[in-house]
Amino acid sequence: MSLFANRIYSKLIISLPTLILFIVVIMDLNYNIIYKNFDFIINFSYIIVFFWSLKKPEHLGYGLIFFAGIINDVVQGLPIGISSLEYLLLAVISAFIRNRMIMNNFIYDWIFFLIGILIVGSINYTILITIFKTPIVYESLILGLFITFSIYPIFYKVFTWIDNMVLVAENDKKNR
C-alpha cells in the first residue's frame, strides 16, 4: 500500500467508533420490533455510547455524542434534545464507572451497562410522560431495555476487535 493509502486507512480506522455511531443514528438502525402486541426498540446507540465512553473516551467526545443525539431526535421525530440528554447521561455514567473501576472486567461492564440503561431509560420516559405527555407502554420499554442489555456481549466482542484495530492504526501512525 502507498503512504497516502496507509494514512487514509489509519484515519478511517481511528474514526471508526464515531462513524459507527453516526451511521446508526442517521440510518435509524435502532430496530423497532413488534412481538405479540409489544412494540419495543433495540437501542444500538446506547451500546455504542456506553462502550466507547467506558473504554476509549478519546474516540467519542461529548460534543459528538450530543450532535449524534440531535440527529437521532430529528430522524426519529422526538423532541429535540431528548436523545442528546440520554446519550450524554449514559456517557457520564460510563465515565464515572471508568474512574471508579479498579479491575477491567466484562461482567462488571455488562452489569453497569444494565444499571446505566435503566437510569437513562427511566429518566427519558419520565421526561416524555411528564413534559411531552407521550403515552408509554411500560412492558415495551422494559422488554426493549432487556433485549438491548442481552445483546451487549455480542457488541462488546465486536467493539473490542475494532478497538484492537484502532490500536494498531494508532501505533502505525506514531511509528511514521
Side-chain angles (χ1 to χ4, degrees), residues 47-132:
I47 297 171
I48 295 166
V49 168
F50 183 82
F51 179 87
W52 290 106
S53 296
L54 183 65
K55 299 298 181 187
K56 297 287 183 171
E58 62 272 8
H59 291 294
L60 196 62
Y62 292 119
L64 292 172
I65 292 171
F66 178 81
F67 188 61
I70 296 293
I71 291 172
N72 188 55
D73 291 336
V74 170
V75 169
Q76 290 190 358
L78 294 171
I80 299 296
I82 293 292
S83 295
S84 295
L85 178 68
E86 289 176 20
Y87 297 166
L88 288 174
L89 183 59
L90 197 56
V92 166
I93 290 169
S94 66
F96 177 78
I97 293 165
R98 183 183 63 249
N99 291 330
R100 299 287 185 241
M101 194 179 307
I102 296 171
M103 207 167 68
N104 192 4
N105 188 341
F106 163 71
I107 298 298
Y108 292 150
D109 293 352
W110 198 22
I111 291 169
F112 286 126
F113 177 67
L114 176 64
I115 293 167
I117 63 173
L118 287 176
I119 291 169
V120 168
S122 299
I123 291 172
N124 174 40
Y125 288 101
T126 301
I127 290 171
L128 287 176
I129 287 173
T130 56
I131 296 174
F132 298 106

Side-chain angles (χ1 to χ4, degrees), residues 140-176:
S140 298
L141 167 67
I142 292 169
L143 186 60
L145 291 175
F146 178 74
I147 299 294
T148 302
F149 166 73
S150 299
I151 64 171
Y152 180 78
I154 297 166
F155 287 94
Y156 183 90
K157 294 289 184 187
V158 170
F159 292 156
T160 302
W161 178 73
I162 291 172
D163 184 38
N164 291 335
M165 288 176 39
V166 168
L167 286 174
V168 169
E170 286 175 341
N171 289 336
D172 286 345
K173 187 176 179 181
K174 288 179 186 176
N175 291 336
R176 278 189 235 140

